[in-house]
Structure formats: C-alpha cells, structure tokens
Amino acid sequence: MTVLDTPPIVDQLRSRFGSAIRIGQGCDLASDLCVEIDDGGFLAVGDRVSIRRGTTIQVHRGGTIVIGDDVAIGENTFLSSMVGIRIGDGVGISNMVDIHDHNHRERSRAHVPDSEPTPWASGFAGAPVIIETGALISNKVSVTAGVRVSQNTVVGANSTVTRSLGPNTVAAGAPAQPIRTFDGPLATTEDRQEIRVGWFGTSIMEHLEGYNAQMVTQANLPAVGSSIPVEAWRNRGYVQRLHLALQVAWPYLGFAFDNHGEGGATSRDILGIVGRGVPPKTRAFDLAFLGCGINDVWRGFQGRTSEAVGPDEFDTNYRDMLRLLTAGARRVICIGETPFGWDNTGLDIDAMNSELARYNNLAARAAADAGAQFLDVWPAFTTTAQALAGWSPATRPDETLWSDGVHLSELGDALMLRLVEQHLRDTDLIPALTRYDLYERTAARSTYHHLFTDSDSHADVIPPRR
C-alpha cells in the first residue's frame, strides 16, 4: 500500500478522543469511518492500516480494540468491544464482517430482577476476540465473543466463527469448521495460547522417578554396573506422557502441567493440597484433574486406622475439593481410582476392591452434583487385566497393569493414558478450552485485562500474554 499523507479524518479523531485513541503512521482511513469511544475505552490503530468506507468501530466503556500494523479492513464492517478485540499484524478483514466481543445475557429473573422491559436490562456477557497475524476473514463473516482465530487462517465467506481455529487452516460454515490445513510461516512475535492443567491426587498421578542427566543423554549413557547419583525427582507416568501427547497433537498451544500428586495421600491430605494449590477467587487452571480414595481404603486394610478415611468423611472431603476446584478451574475431570491388583501381602484383595468401588461411586455422585466430569477407568482395567494374563486377585500374571498391586506398571500407564486421551477426544475438551469463557462485562474486563495491556493507563498496549 502506498503511504499517503495523513488524511483529515485522522486529525479529527485524535482531536476528538485525545489519549483514548492512538493512530500510527501511513494509515488510509475512509472519510466516513465512524468511531465511537465511550469514557474508559481505548482504540489503538497501528501503522499502514487501511479501513474502507462505511465501517464502524465501537468501543464501549472499559473496552479495548487493538489493530496491528498493515491491516486491511473492508467496507461496511462493524467492530464492537466491551472487553477487548485484538487484530494482529497483516490481517485482512473483508466487507460486511461483524466482530462482537459481547452478547446480551438472557432475560432471566436473576439478570432482570425488576422486570425492566428494555433490551439492555439483562446486561451483557463478554470475552476477548483475538485474530492473529496474517489471518484472512472473508465477506459477511460473523466472529463471536471468546474466539481466537490463529495465524494465517482463512475463514470462508458467510461463515459464523463460534469456536477458536488453529493456525494455517481453511475453515467455513455456520458454525465454521476446519476444512483443510496448509504449510504457512508462523510469526514468533505471536504469543502461544497456554492451557494450564492442574493435577491433584496420589502417587499414581505423582509417579516420581529418579533423575540424572546422564541417564537420558543417549551419547553419554553410564556404563552397565556403574553408579551415578540421583540428582532430582521428576514426575513421569501417564501424566507426563499425556503432556507430551497433547503438545504433539496441538503444537501451536502451550500446555503447562502442575502436578500436585502426593505419595500416600488420602482425601484428607489432598483436600489440604487443593486448598493450598488453588488461590481463592482465582481461575488458576483451565483444566483440573482430581483422583483419590485408594489410600483412604488401603490404610484401613493395612491396620493404619488413624490414617484411614471412612466413606462419610471421604464424601465430605471430595465435595469440598470439588467446590474449590470448580471455582479455581474452568473444567474439572474426576478420575476414578483403579482397582487393586495382585500383591504378596496376604490382604483380602476382593474385599479391598469392593470397598474401593464404593468410594468410586461416592466420587461419581459428587462429581455429577458439582457439574464436573467423571472418568470411570475401572471397567477397562479389570477387563484388560483379565485379557492380558487371566488376572485374578489370587494369581500374579506374567504381565500386569500394576507394579506392586497399587502403583501402575508401564502397561497400566499406557492404558490410563489411552483412557484419558479418549475422554478428551470424546468431550472435545481441548478445542473448547481454546475459547475464552464469557463473564459479565465488568468481570470479563478484569479477567482478560492482561491480554491487552500491562497497565491500567493504556499507556503501553502490548501483544497479549497469558
């Protein structure tokens, strides 16, 4: 685009809105561009931006719109923000595109207690809209609140974008669905969206492994029979393998796993861990996993009665954990405990499993009451163990899902990984987590403020960081 002299509309906008607007150099703005900025709103327009005739940019009180460099916006397009809209460098937005980061809330009694008969009486819910570097939005597309359109992605004409789209993707439809992908350059300046995952459970989740750098350096492995010190403990097992699997499946996302599993922990202990790991009134995680009960039961059969947790206390503890986790995470998945396998302690495995199944049932009911998901792994473990080697509580098989009757072997880890991955696929949870949750407009601005600025003054609008 040829760099033009500053058109009169730019000087008019700067004069009218002062510090509430920032317009870069070399912009080509139509003379009939309509800009509305309420008190507390902010609009940033980068360098060499082209905006054609008939377009409206509306920034409501407290909202933010950030338009990057070398962006082209077509005719009769409408951008409206109550929370925040970010349009990355080199984005192309065609004609008659509608981008709103908010919706009317339903006219429920909770939202309209005095039955006021106006369209805005119920208030608004919102979430950011982010369109990353190089994306192309075709004619007559609607982009709804909470979605992220990743780098280079092309959205076909007349589509409605209701969920986030990955990079280098062609998508179309209502709702827009990926049609194909292509190989395209990805800008390193675009911060990767991060999915934060918290894990709360026992040693089955914790799965500590001794670590020495030489043990994992193929070119410098220690000699057979030599001794090396344990330098640290690392979390491994199915949790770590899931982390790797998700990162490979979704390479444009960042996955941050925070493993709070603890060996020997009962529900009594894990309740304390959850309380310390989930700050009050904070969404610390996008996804949280909870699993416990096996030690509550096992301690009783081991004769460690002071550590055992009865079913009534377990139910109370589990519900208290869910109360904290559902407040501190966008989604919660409860993982049922695996059955006890063979061991050589002489304990009554059948009786232990009967009691543990009872605790799993309590956990499933608590999860349902809290609106959390429950993954029952018990059937897959019993049928797989039987098929592998005719497993029974009295006979140790040659191949087993357990290393010692409680902790999982590599086979057990592989099965648990498959079950969790399948659950995530069946529930379509990872794509759902890439969409930002809607909140009441004031709460949304507070929740997502960090995506648009590092200060309250709008002095430095920066690329979004999570």
Side-chain angles (χ1 to χ4, degrees):
M1 183 181 73
T2 302
V3 177
L4 304 175
D5 294 334
T6 301
I9 182 71
V10 172
D11 291 333
Q12 294 170 19
L13 292 172
R14 287 170 175 163
S15 175
R16 178 182 175 190
F17 294 111
S19 62
I21 195 168
R22 190 177 72 199
I23 302 176
Q25 301 301 311
C27 293
D28 180 13
L29 309 183
S31 60
D32 67 345
L33 170 65
C34 177
V35 175
E36 303 170 1
I37 305 176
D38 292 343
D39 290 344
F42 181 72
L43 169 64
V45 180
D47 296 335
R48 301 173 301 280
V49 171
S50 170
I51 304 178
R52 293 310 188 199
R53 62 186 181 182
T55 287
T56 297
I57 299 176
Q58 184 180 66
V59 189
H60 294 273
R61 171 178 47 85
T64 299
I65 295 180
V66 180
I67 300 172
D69 298 336
D70 302 299
V71 171
I73 299 176
E75 298 179 359
N76 299 308
T77 284
F78 197 99
L79 310 181
S80 180
S81 171
M82 287 186 179
V83 181
I85 297 172
R86 178 181 177 271
I87 299 171
D89 295 345
V91 167
I93 297 176
S94 192
N95 306 319
M96 293 176 281
V97 171
D98 182 274
I99 302 175
H100 271 66
D101 69 1
H102 55 278
N103 303 317
H104 286 273
R105 296 194 298 179
E106 62 187 19
R107 286 182 55 84
S108 65
R109 292 187 183 277
H111 295 157
V112 195
D114 56 1
S115 301
E116 180 185 339
T118 61
W120 49 86
S122 59
F124 297 86
V129 173
I130 296 178
I131 301 176
E132 295 186 0
T133 302
L136 298 174
I137 312 297
S138 302
N139 287 347
K140 300 180 181 178
V141 168
S142 293
V143 181
T144 61
V147 304
R148 188 170 181 132
V149 179
S150 297
Q151 294 187 52
N152 303 330
T153 284
V154 180
V155 181
N158 300 300
S159 298
T160 302
V161 184
T162 61
R163 61 185 299 171
S164 295
L165 299 169
N168 297 336
T169 298
V170 176
Q177 299 287 346
I179 297 172
R180 61 180 176 87
T181 59
F182 54 87
D183 182 21
L186 298 179
T188 57
T189 55
E190 195 75 64
D191 281 358
R192 183 173 295 183
Q193 186 178 8
E194 184 177 85
I195 305 297
R196 299 154 297 169
V197 186
W199 295 83
F200 298 89
T202 66
S203 54
I204 294 174
M205 282 185 183
E206 182 186 37
H207 199 115
L208 289 181
E209 179 182 277
Y211 171 77
N212 180 295
Q214 193 177 352
M215 290 290 291
V216 295
T217 305
Q218 291 294 312
N220 189 33
L221 293 173
V224 176
S226 62
S227 298
I228 59 172
V230 173
E231 296 176 339
W233 296 104
R234 299 195 303 180
N235 298 115
R236 312 306 280 175
Y238 82 91
V239 173
Q240 186 261 351
R241 293 170 71 178
L242 178 66
H243 193 171
L244 297 178
L246 291 177
Q247 192 60 80
V248 170
W250 305 88
Y252 60 90
L253 300 176
F255 290 91
F257 274 37
D258 192 356
N259 194 332
H260 291 275
E262 185 171 296
T266 64
S267 63
R268 193 180 297 153
D269 304 312
I270 298 171
L271 176 57
I273 295 170
V274 171
R276 295 188 296 273
V278 181
K281 298 181 181 180
T282 301
R283 283 292 174 101
F285 301 105
D286 294 293
L287 175 61
F289 287 88
L290 173 64
C292 67
I294 197 164
N295 289 317
D296 300 53
V297 172
W298 196 19
R299 295 294 176 260
F301 283 86
Q302 290 175 313
R304 297 159 63 175
T305 54
S306 64
E307 301 172 53
V309 178
D312 290 341
E313 183 187 350
F314 170 81
D315 185 58
T316 298
N317 291 342
Y318 208 93
R319 291 175 182 275
D320 285 345
M321 286 185 276
L322 283 171
R323 175 178 51 80
L324 294 170
L325 288 175
T326 52
R330 296 169 62 195
R331 307 288 189 277
V332 178
I333 298 176
C334 300
I335 301 181
E337 294 286 59
T338 58
F340 291 98
W342 179 92
D343 69 14
N344 59 3
T345 62
L347 297 177
D348 188 341
I349 304 301
D350 282 339
M352 291 164 60
N353 277 332
S354 177
E355 186 68 359
L356 184 56
R358 179 185 177 194
Y359 280 57
N360 273 347
N361 288 335
L362 291 172
R365 286 199 292 270
D369 291 344
Q373 300 174 14
F374 186 81
L375 173 56
D376 184 4
V377 302
W378 191 289
F381 265 77
T382 56
T383 57
T384 303
Q386 290 166 358
L388 279 172
W391 170 83
S392 71
T395 305
R396 180 170 184 170
D398 294 330
E399 294 179 292
T400 177
L401 301 175
W402 298 269
S403 61
D404 56 8
V406 176
H407 303 97
L408 302 181
S409 66
E410 290 188 351
L411 280 171
D413 275 326
L415 177 56
M416 184 67 87
L417 174 65
R418 183 177 69 81
L419 294 172
V420 176
E421 282 189 301
Q422 186 64 51
H423 181 80
L424 293 176
R425 283 194 297 269
D426 290 346
T427 57
D428 209 22
L429 191 55
I430 300 302
L433 290 174
T434 63
R435 176 171 180 168
Y436 300 105
D437 286 343
L438 274 70
Y439 297 98
E440 186 278 328
R441 60 185 293 186
T442 302
R445 288 197 296 269
S446 175
T447 301
Y448 299 116
H449 179 76
H450 63 287
L451 292 175
F452 299 93
T453 178
D454 59 359
S455 71
D456 291 330
S457 66
H458 295 302
D460 292 306
V461 175
I462 59 173
R465 298 187 181 278
R466 292 205 57 169

